[in-house]
Amino acid sequence: MSLALFDLDNTLIAGDSDHTWGEFLVHKGLVNGEEYKKANDLYYAAYQQGTLDIHDYLAFSLRPLTQYSTEEMLNWRQEFIHEHIRPLVLPAALELLQHHRNQGDRLLIITATNRFITAPIAELLGVADLIAVEPEFIEGRYTGQIVGTPSFREGKVNCLQQWLKAEGMNLDNSWFYSDSHNDLPLLEMVDQPVAVDPDDTLRRHAEQQGWSVISLR
């Protein structure tokens, strides 16, 4: 069995779920609108530029989970998935996932977005295995902290290595699909790296290395 790895945001869906969640919180009036939107946009720009401080960003993005009850957050998340994520699901991405299922591959989404947001998206896409940033959850409440290493840049590699060891798998004949140059550390580890609607930095690197470049849009 080969492993087919997929980034989530701007790869399998036509947008960034983390940034979109921040916009949803602003729209619902659950955070300080103008201030939160400005910070959310700045963090997203830093991610695109490859300068994001992941720990600083996570402190910002997980804070709203601590300010409301878990029941309220789950209800709002359901609304968010239905109204804002379903329209971003790419039909070609669903076809690609099905192709790998038909090949007998094991599918794994690996993302720097936290599990609170991405678990229902992975379920929507029919992918059972997910590596994501793990928000700390104690006595029925989110603390705003994380558990373990953030699955971002080199952290994705570390998290995947732990997962592989636990699952008794390896990267022989493995695939990884991503849009972002932030994923270069992991793209360079797999046998079949694929740039999906890539940013300019990843596109240049992929072309230099002779990697596949595809579009799911």
Side-chain angles (χ1 to χ4, degrees):
M1 179 186 293
S2 298
L3 188 61
L5 304 163
F6 302 87
D7 177 48
L8 176 63
D9 299 312
N10 287 307
T11 300
L12 294 177
I13 62 174
D16 186 283
S17 59
D18 222 352
H19 185 255
T20 304
W21 170 252
E23 293 182 325
F24 173 77
L25 295 177
V26 171
H27 175 73
K28 295 287 290 186
L30 302 175
V31 292
N32 184 314
E34 184 177 347
E35 179 182 329
Y36 197 92
K37 184 182 188 319
K38 180 179 179 181
N40 193 41
D41 290 346
L42 286 173
Y43 281 120
Y44 188 44
Y47 170 80
Q48 293 175 313
Q49 294 161 10
T51 60
L52 179 66
D53 181 327
I54 188 62
H55 292 282
D56 191 38
Y57 172 65
L58 288 170
F60 163 80
S61 64
L62 295 178
R63 191 174 303 123
L65 294 180
T66 71
Q67 296 171 337
Y68 299 94
S69 71
T70 301
E71 182 180 4
E72 287 174 309
M73 294 306 300
L74 291 174
N75 287 335
W76 287 321
R77 184 181 70 175
Q78 185 176 12
E79 178 184 345
F80 169 71
I81 296 296
H82 179 73
E83 295 185 2
H84 297 273
I85 295 300
R86 281 185 177 273
L88 299 180
V89 174
L90 295 162
L94 297 177
E95 293 174 6
L96 177 62
L97 292 169
Q98 189 58 46
H99 167 74
H100 278 283
R101 290 190 192 97
N102 294 342
Q103 295 292 110
D105 298 332
R106 184 166 178 181
L107 278 55
L108 171 65
I109 291 174
I110 182 164
T111 175
T113 300
N114 71 76
R115 184 174 291 272
F116 178 83
I117 295 173
T118 56
I121 304 176
E123 183 178 355
L124 180 64
L125 296 171
V127 179
D129 291 307
L130 170 68
I131 293 175
V133 171
E134 300 288 350
E136 186 178 58
F137 191 75
I138 297 177
E139 297 181 355
R141 300 281 300 198
Y142 288 98
T143 69
Q145 304 299 312
I146 65 167
V147 177
T149 302
S151 44
F152 176 65
R153 296 181 66 93
E154 292 80 7
K156 274 193 178 181
V157 174
N158 296 335
C159 292
L160 177 60
Q161 288 173 333
Q162 294 174 18
W163 186 89
L164 291 170
K165 184 177 180 180
E167 296 293 321
M169 296 191 67
N170 58 51
L171 292 178
D172 291 349
N173 197 32
S174 56
W175 300 72
F176 181 38
Y177 297 84
S178 177
D179 72 294
S180 174
H181 69 278
N182 287 295
D183 282 334
L184 280 170
L186 183 49
L187 283 162
E188 290 172 344
M189 286 186 61
V190 299
D191 291 330
Q192 301 290 340
V194 183
V196 181
D197 299 291
D199 59 43
D200 291 342
T201 301
L202 177 56
R203 181 179 294 276
R204 286 193 298 270
H205 188 88
E207 290 173 349
Q208 290 168 359
Q209 298 298 316
W211 295 352
S212 296
V213 178
I214 67 170
S215 176
L216 298 178
R217 303 292 177 113

PDB file of all heavy atoms in Angstrom, residues 19-38 40 60:
ATOM      1  N   HIS A  19      -7.991  31.022   7.271  1.00  0.00           N
ATOM      2  CA  HIS A  19      -8.264  32.436   7.028  1.00  0.00           C
ATOM      3  C   HIS A  19      -9.768  32.670   6.874  1.00  0.00           C
ATOM      4  O   HIS A  19     -10.317  33.657   7.395  1.00  0.00           O
ATOM      5  CB  HIS A  19      -7.519  32.901   5.778  1.00  0.00           C
ATOM      6  CG  HIS A  19      -7.649  34.365   5.512  1.00  0.00           C
ATOM      7  ND1 HIS A  19      -8.468  34.870   4.514  1.00  0.00           N
ATOM      8  CD2 HIS A  19      -7.098  35.447   6.111  1.00  0.00           C
ATOM      9  CE1 HIS A  19      -8.391  36.184   4.507  1.00  0.00           C
ATOM     10  NE2 HIS A  19      -7.576  36.564   5.461  1.00  0.00           N
ATOM     11  N   THR A  20     -10.449  31.760   6.184  1.00  0.00           N
ATOM     12  CA  THR A  20     -11.885  31.886   5.982  1.00  0.00           C
ATOM     13  C   THR A  20     -12.641  31.773   7.295  1.00  0.00           C
ATOM     14  O   THR A  20     -13.650  32.458   7.515  1.00  0.00           O
ATOM     15  CB  THR A  20     -12.379  30.820   4.985  1.00  0.00           C
ATOM     16  OG1 THR A  20     -11.647  30.940   3.761  1.00  0.00           O
ATOM     17  CG2 THR A  20     -13.854  30.980   4.672  1.00  0.00           C
ATOM     18  N   TRP A  21     -12.163  30.908   8.204  1.00  0.00           N
ATOM     19  CA  TRP A  21     -12.765  30.803   9.533  1.00  0.00           C
ATOM     20  C   TRP A  21     -12.654  32.141  10.272  1.00  0.00           C
ATOM     21  O   TRP A  21     -13.606  32.576  10.921  1.00  0.00           O
ATOM     22  CB  TRP A  21     -12.085  29.684  10.318  1.00  0.00           C
ATOM     23  CG  TRP A  21     -12.434  29.605  11.772  1.00  0.00           C
ATOM     24  CD1 TRP A  21     -11.644  29.931  12.840  1.00  0.00           C
ATOM     25  CD2 TRP A  21     -13.678  29.146  12.347  1.00  0.00           C
ATOM     26  NE1 TRP A  21     -12.300  29.709  14.025  1.00  0.00           N
ATOM     27  CE2 TRP A  21     -13.544  29.227  13.759  1.00  0.00           C
ATOM     28  CE3 TRP A  21     -14.872  28.689  11.811  1.00  0.00           C
ATOM     29  CZ2 TRP A  21     -14.574  28.863  14.634  1.00  0.00           C
ATOM     30  CZ3 TRP A  21     -15.901  28.310  12.682  1.00  0.00           C
ATOM     31  CH2 TRP A  21     -15.747  28.405  14.070  1.00  0.00           C
ATOM     32  N   GLY A  22     -11.499  32.790  10.164  1.00  0.00           N
ATOM     33  CA  GLY A  22     -11.336  34.103  10.785  1.00  0.00           C
ATOM     34  C   GLY A  22     -12.325  35.104  10.231  1.00  0.00           C
ATOM     35  O   GLY A  22     -12.920  35.901  10.984  1.00  0.00           O
ATOM     36  N   GLU A  23     -12.548  35.080   8.917  1.00  0.00           N
ATOM     37  CA  GLU A  23     -13.523  35.982   8.307  1.00  0.00           C
ATOM     38  C   GLU A  23     -14.942  35.655   8.780  1.00  0.00           C
ATOM     39  O   GLU A  23     -15.768  36.558   8.980  1.00  0.00           O
ATOM     40  CB  GLU A  23     -13.428  35.878   6.785  1.00  0.00           C
ATOM     41  CG  GLU A  23     -12.109  36.399   6.225  1.00  0.00           C
ATOM     42  CD  GLU A  23     -12.049  36.328   4.718  1.00  0.00           C
ATOM     43  OE1 GLU A  23     -12.623  35.359   4.148  1.00  0.00           O
ATOM     44  OE2 GLU A  23     -11.454  37.232   4.095  1.00  0.00           O
ATOM     45  N   PHE A  24     -15.209  34.376   8.971  1.00  0.00           N
ATOM     46  CA  PHE A  24     -16.514  33.944   9.483  1.00  0.00           C
ATOM     47  C   PHE A  24     -16.744  34.481  10.894  1.00  0.00           C
ATOM     48  O   PHE A  24     -17.837  34.975  11.217  1.00  0.00           O
ATOM     49  CB  PHE A  24     -16.580  32.414   9.464  1.00  0.00           C
ATOM     50  CG  PHE A  24     -17.795  31.826  10.122  1.00  0.00           C
ATOM     51  CD1 PHE A  24     -19.021  31.824   9.474  1.00  0.00           C
ATOM     52  CD2 PHE A  24     -17.711  31.260  11.385  1.00  0.00           C
ATOM     53  CE1 PHE A  24     -20.155  31.274  10.073  1.00  0.00           C
ATOM     54  CE2 PHE A  24     -18.828  30.702  11.997  1.00  0.00           C
ATOM     55  CZ  PHE A  24     -20.049  30.707  11.339  1.00  0.00           C
ATOM     56  N   LEU A  25     -15.724  34.401  11.741  1.00  0.00           N
ATOM     57  CA  LEU A  25     -15.842  34.916  13.108  1.00  0.00           C
ATOM     58  C   LEU A  25     -16.131  36.418  13.112  1.00  0.00           C
ATOM     59  O   LEU A  25     -16.928  36.903  13.913  1.00  0.00           O
ATOM     60  CB  LEU A  25     -14.551  34.635  13.888  1.00  0.00           C
ATOM     61  CG  LEU A  25     -14.199  33.171  14.144  1.00  0.00           C
ATOM     62  CD1 LEU A  25     -12.851  33.076  14.860  1.00  0.00           C
ATOM     63  CD2 LEU A  25     -15.282  32.469  14.952  1.00  0.00           C
ATOM     64  N   VAL A  26     -15.479  37.133  12.206  1.00  0.00           N
ATOM     65  CA  VAL A  26     -15.719  38.572  12.079  1.00  0.00           C
ATOM     66  C   VAL A  26     -17.161  38.821  11.639  1.00  0.00           C
ATOM     67  O   VAL A  26     -17.874  39.659  12.205  1.00  0.00           O
ATOM     68  CB  VAL A  26     -14.730  39.209  11.090  1.00  0.00           C
ATOM     69  CG1 VAL A  26     -15.118  40.656  10.787  1.00  0.00           C
ATOM     70  CG2 VAL A  26     -13.309  39.145  11.641  1.00  0.00           C
ATOM     71  N   HIS A  27     -17.597  38.094  10.612  1.00  0.00           N
ATOM     72  CA  HIS A  27     -18.944  38.260  10.067  1.00  0.00           C
ATOM     73  C   HIS A  27     -20.011  37.988  11.122  1.00  0.00           C
ATOM     74  O   HIS A  27     -21.041  38.675  11.175  1.00  0.00           O
ATOM     75  CB  HIS A  27     -19.134  37.325   8.873  1.00  0.00           C
ATOM     76  CG  HIS A  27     -20.525  37.321   8.318  1.00  0.00           C
ATOM     77  ND1 HIS A  27     -21.030  38.378   7.588  1.00  0.00           N
ATOM     78  CD2 HIS A  27     -21.522  36.387   8.396  1.00  0.00           C
ATOM     79  CE1 HIS A  27     -22.279  38.106   7.243  1.00  0.00           C
ATOM     80  NE2 HIS A  27     -22.604  36.911   7.719  1.00  0.00           N
ATOM     81  N   LYS A  28     -19.763  36.991  11.992  1.00  0.00           N
ATOM     82  CA  LYS A  28     -20.729  36.627  13.033  1.00  0.00           C
ATOM     83  C   LYS A  28     -20.666  37.554  14.238  1.00  0.00           C
ATOM     84  O   LYS A  28     -21.501  37.465  15.142  1.00  0.00           O
ATOM     85  CB  LYS A  28     -20.480  35.192  13.508  1.00  0.00           C
ATOM     86  CG  LYS A  28     -20.715  34.124  12.459  1.00  0.00           C
ATOM     87  CD  LYS A  28     -22.195  33.917  12.163  1.00  0.00           C
ATOM     88  CE  LYS A  28     -22.911  33.259  13.317  1.00  0.00           C
ATOM     89  NZ  LYS A  28     -24.321  32.938  12.972  1.00  0.00           N
ATOM     90  N   GLY A  29     -19.691  38.454  14.266  1.00  0.00           N
ATOM     91  CA  GLY A  29     -19.543  39.363  15.396  1.00  0.00           C
ATOM     92  C   GLY A  29     -19.010  38.687  16.642  1.00  0.00           C
ATOM     93  O   GLY A  29     -19.224  39.150  17.765  1.00  0.00           O
ATOM     94  N   LEU A  30     -18.260  37.588  16.454  1.00  0.00           N
ATOM     95  CA  LEU A  30     -17.741  36.818  17.583  1.00  0.00           C
ATOM     96  C   LEU A  30     -16.374  37.306  18.047  1.00  0.00           C
ATOM     97  O   LEU A  30     -15.870  36.863  19.079  1.00  0.00           O
ATOM     98  CB  LEU A  30     -17.665  35.332  17.197  1.00  0.00           C
ATOM     99  CG  LEU A  30     -18.993  34.707  16.753  1.00  0.00           C
ATOM    100  CD1 LEU A  30     -18.790  33.278  16.289  1.00  0.00           C
ATOM    101  CD2 LEU A  30     -20.021  34.781  17.864  1.00  0.00           C
ATOM    102  N   VAL A  31     -15.770  38.192  17.274  1.00  0.00           N
ATOM    103  CA  VAL A  31     -14.473  38.774  17.616  1.00  0.00           C
ATOM    104  C   VAL A  31     -14.542  40.269  17.310  1.00  0.00           C
ATOM    105  O   VAL A  31     -15.488  40.746  16.661  1.00  0.00           O
ATOM    106  CB  VAL A  31     -13.321  38.124  16.808  1.00  0.00           C
ATOM    107  CG1 VAL A  31     -13.102  36.681  17.226  1.00  0.00           C
ATOM    108  CG2 VAL A  31     -13.603  38.212  15.305  1.00  0.00           C
ATOM    109  N   ASN A  32     -13.544  41.000  17.773  1.00  0.00           N
ATOM    110  CA  ASN A  32     -13.444  42.428  17.459  1.00  0.00           C
ATOM    111  C   ASN A  32     -13.196  42.572  15.956  1.00  0.00           C
ATOM    112  O   ASN A  32     -12.103  42.292  15.466  1.00  0.00           O
ATOM    113  CB  ASN A  32     -12.300  43.051  18.259  1.00  0.00           C
ATOM    114  CG  ASN A  32     -12.199  44.551  18.047  1.00  0.00           C
ATOM    115  OD1 ASN A  32     -12.252  45.032  16.918  1.00  0.00           O
ATOM    116  ND2 ASN A  32     -12.048  45.292  19.133  1.00  0.00           N
ATOM    117  N   GLY A  33     -14.230  42.995  15.225  1.00  0.00           N
ATOM    118  CA  GLY A  33     -14.231  42.912  13.774  1.00  0.00           C
ATOM    119  C   GLY A  33     -13.035  43.506  13.071  1.00  0.00           C
ATOM    120  O   GLY A  33     -12.248  42.798  12.439  1.00  0.00           O
ATOM    121  N   GLU A  34     -12.860  44.820  13.155  1.00  0.00           N
ATOM    122  CA  GLU A  34     -11.810  45.508  12.397  1.00  0.00           C
ATOM    123  C   GLU A  34     -10.422  45.048  12.824  1.00  0.00           C
ATOM    124  O   GLU A  34      -9.562  44.767  11.979  1.00  0.00           O
ATOM    125  CB  GLU A  34     -11.942  47.014  12.582  1.00  0.00           C
ATOM    126  CG  GLU A  34     -10.950  47.825  11.754  1.00  0.00           C
ATOM    127  CD  GLU A  34     -11.179  49.318  11.912  1.00  0.00           C
ATOM    128  OE1 GLU A  34     -12.229  49.723  12.438  1.00  0.00           O
ATOM    129  OE2 GLU A  34     -10.289  50.079  11.485  1.00  0.00           O
ATOM    130  N   GLU A  35     -10.217  44.949  14.117  1.00  0.00           N
ATOM    131  CA  GLU A  35      -8.904  44.553  14.640  1.00  0.00           C
ATOM    132  C   GLU A  35      -8.567  43.117  14.254  1.00  0.00           C
ATOM    133  O   GLU A  35      -7.447  42.824  13.815  1.00  0.00           O
ATOM    134  CB  GLU A  35      -8.907  44.694  16.164  1.00  0.00           C
ATOM    135  CG  GLU A  35      -7.608  44.299  16.845  1.00  0.00           C
ATOM    136  CD  GLU A  35      -7.710  44.419  18.361  1.00  0.00           C
ATOM    137  OE1 GLU A  35      -8.461  45.296  18.832  1.00  0.00           O
ATOM    138  OE2 GLU A  35      -7.049  43.636  19.055  1.00  0.00           O
ATOM    139  N   TYR A  36      -9.532  42.230  14.391  1.00  0.00           N
ATOM    140  CA  TYR A  36      -9.286  40.815  14.095  1.00  0.00           C
ATOM    141  C   TYR A  36      -9.046  40.604  12.593  1.00  0.00           C
ATOM    142  O   TYR A  36      -8.150  39.861  12.203  1.00  0.00           O
ATOM    143  CB  TYR A  36     -10.465  39.961  14.565  1.00  0.00           C
ATOM    144  CG  TYR A  36     -10.137  38.484  14.665  1.00  0.00           C
ATOM    145  CD1 TYR A  36      -9.684  37.946  15.860  1.00  0.00           C
ATOM    146  CD2 TYR A  36     -10.285  37.641  13.565  1.00  0.00           C
ATOM    147  CE1 TYR A  36      -9.371  36.595  15.960  1.00  0.00           C
ATOM    148  CE2 TYR A  36      -9.977  36.301  13.655  1.00  0.00           C
ATOM    149  CZ  TYR A  36      -9.528  35.778  14.861  1.00  0.00           C
ATOM    150  OH  TYR A  36      -9.204  34.436  14.955  1.00  0.00           O
ATOM    151  N   LYS A  37      -9.838  41.277  11.774  1.00  0.00           N
ATOM    152  CA  LYS A  37      -9.675  41.127  10.326  1.00  0.00           C
ATOM    153  C   LYS A  37      -8.297  41.594   9.881  1.00  0.00           C
ATOM    154  O   LYS A  37      -7.645  40.935   9.053  1.00  0.00           O
ATOM    155  CB  LYS A  37     -10.756  41.909   9.584  1.00  0.00           C
ATOM    156  CG  LYS A  37     -10.688  41.716   8.062  1.00  0.00           C
ATOM    157  CD  LYS A  37     -11.739  42.529   7.348  1.00  0.00           C
ATOM    158  CE  LYS A  37     -11.791  42.193   5.862  1.00  0.00           C
ATOM    159  NZ  LYS A  37     -10.484  42.003   5.221  1.00  0.00           N
ATOM    160  N   LYS A  38      -7.843  42.712  10.422  1.00  0.00           N
ATOM    161  CA  LYS A  38      -6.522  43.227  10.045  1.00  0.00           C
ATOM    162  C   LYS A  38      -5.432  42.225  10.404  1.00  0.00           C
ATOM    163  O   LYS A  38      -4.550  41.921   9.590  1.00  0.00           O
ATOM    164  CB  LYS A  38      -6.263  44.557  10.737  1.00  0.00           C
ATOM    165  CG  LYS A  38      -4.911  45.177  10.395  1.00  0.00           C
ATOM    166  CD  LYS A  38      -4.729  46.515  11.106  1.00  0.00           C
ATOM    167  CE  LYS A  38      -3.367  47.121  10.775  1.00  0.00           C
ATOM    168  NZ  LYS A  38      -3.161  48.417  11.470  1.00  0.00           N
ATOM    169  N   ASN A  40      -5.791  38.975  10.974  1.00  0.00           N
ATOM    170  CA  ASN A  40      -5.999  37.751  10.198  1.00  0.00           C
ATOM    171  C   ASN A  40      -5.385  37.890   8.807  1.00  0.00           C
ATOM    172  O   ASN A  40      -4.714  36.971   8.307  1.00  0.00           O
ATOM    173  CB  ASN A  40      -7.500  37.474  10.102  1.00  0.00           C
ATOM    174  CG  ASN A  40      -7.821  36.083   9.593  1.00  0.00           C
ATOM    175  OD1 ASN A  40      -7.186  35.097   9.965  1.00  0.00           O
ATOM    176  ND2 ASN A  40      -8.837  35.994   8.750  1.00  0.00           N
ATOM    177  N   PHE A  60      -3.035  33.517  18.339  1.00  0.00           N
ATOM    178  CA  PHE A  60      -4.098  34.390  17.838  1.00  0.00           C
ATOM    179  C   PHE A  60      -5.320  33.589  17.379  1.00  0.00           C
ATOM    180  O   PHE A  60      -6.457  33.872  17.777  1.00  0.00           O
ATOM    181  CB  PHE A  60      -3.546  35.228  16.676  1.00  0.00           C
ATOM    182  CG  PHE A  60      -4.588  35.858  15.801  1.00  0.00           C
ATOM    183  CD1 PHE A  60      -5.232  37.027  16.195  1.00  0.00           C
ATOM    184  CD2 PHE A  60      -4.918  35.289  14.577  1.00  0.00           C
ATOM    185  CE1 PHE A  60      -6.199  37.615  15.382  1.00  0.00           C
ATOM    186  CE2 PHE A  60      -5.880  35.868  13.755  1.00  0.00           C
ATOM    187  CZ  PHE A  60      -6.523  37.031  14.168  1.00  0.00           C
TER     188      PHE A  60
END
